[in-house]
Amino acid sequence: MTTEDSKQPRKRAPRKATPKYLENAALYYLSRYSTSTENLRRVMMRKVMRSAKHHGTDVEDGAALIEAMIGRFLGSGLLDDWAYARTRADSLHRRGNSARVIRGKLKQKGVDDDVIAAALDARGEDPELTAAVTLAKRRRLGPFAVKPPNGEQREKHLAALARAGFSYDVAQRVIDGKDIDGI
């Protein structure tokens, strides 16, 4: 074993959380990801915490900088929880996620319950059935299976839709192929 093999790669020291650094980091994050206000706050607070631990700065000062920056971003339209929730709900809906799953994912990102409810209501007519059909097509369940399901397989297909967050009525309509012709 040579001395080169025993060397550990050095970890880079975190940058000091200055107002300019935090704003640049937030703008870079927003240029790459669509996010909610609360999620951006969490990301930026992790930077402040690492900086405070390494440089001995005050976490409260960093939190105040982040709050002021988020206020400016909300005022200028760079951050918009309603737009984020709407686009994320539409995207998850197109992938075949139930309202329950969409609500949970938006909740994890810190979106307010009222905003989530409005975004879910804006999805259109019978979104649960549409999402369940999309999932059934993708997973080849029910009428989209290679072979028509027998009694035991039908129950497994119903269970798969139930685990995905769909109600029994919606799952039964999809698996039995009722009223899904135009979807």
Side-chain angles (χ1 to χ4, degrees):
M1 187 166 169
T2 65
T3 56
E4 288 180 27
D5 294 335
S6 64
K7 289 184 180 178
Q8 295 286 333
R10 276 203 226 171
K11 287 188 176 181
R12 243 177 35 188
R15 296 190 57 186
K16 192 168 184 178
T18 63
K20 183 177 180 181
Y21 167 71
L22 290 175
E23 185 154 341
N24 287 340
L27 289 172
Y28 180 72
Y29 186 84
L30 288 172
S31 73
R32 296 187 69 202
Y33 307 105
S34 175
T35 191
S36 66
T37 303
E38 182 59 32
N39 194 54
L40 181 65
R41 183 176 289 116
R42 289 177 197 154
V43 169
M44 299 312 296
M45 279 306 294
R46 283 194 302 265
K47 290 184 178 299
V48 167
M49 297 296 277
R50 282 193 299 265
S51 172
K53 185 176 179 184
H54 187 267
H55 297 288
T57 56
D58 188 20
V59 175
E60 296 301 319
D61 291 342
L65 291 172
I66 289 171
E67 290 305 317
M69 178 184 59
I70 285 177
R72 284 193 317 274
F73 287 176
L74 285 169
S76 68
L78 281 172
L79 273 176
D80 185 359
D81 281 355
W82 157 247
Y84 169 73
R86 174 69 196 269
T87 55
R88 187 74 174 136
D90 287 346
S91 172
L92 292 169
H93 172 70
R94 281 191 306 273
R95 289 168 55 193
N97 287 296
S98 68
R100 185 176 297 141
V101 170
I102 293 170
R103 185 180 313 280
K105 288 186 180 199
L106 289 174
K107 197 74 174 149
Q108 282 179 335
K109 292 295 182 180
V111 179
D112 192 38
D113 288 331
D114 297 335
V115 176
I116 293 172
L120 289 174
D121 289 343
R123 290 182 302 157
E125 291 184 31
D126 209 357
E128 286 295 290
L129 184 62
T130 308
V133 169
T134 302
L135 183 66
K137 284 179 183 177
R138 189 167 39 118
R139 304 243 341 250
R140 296 187 176 143
L141 302 173
F144 308 106
V146 176
K147 294 188 296 185
N150 59 22
E152 184 180 325
Q153 282 185 324
R154 181 181 179 279
E155 294 300 317
K156 287 184 179 184
H157 291 186
L158 285 170
L161 287 176
R163 283 190 301 274
F166 296 104
S167 70
Y168 181 76
D169 293 334
V170 170
Q172 191 175 26
R173 284 174 62 190
V174 171
I175 298 302
D176 293 341
K178 295 179 183 173
D179 304 326
I180 64 168
D181 295 330
I183 298 173

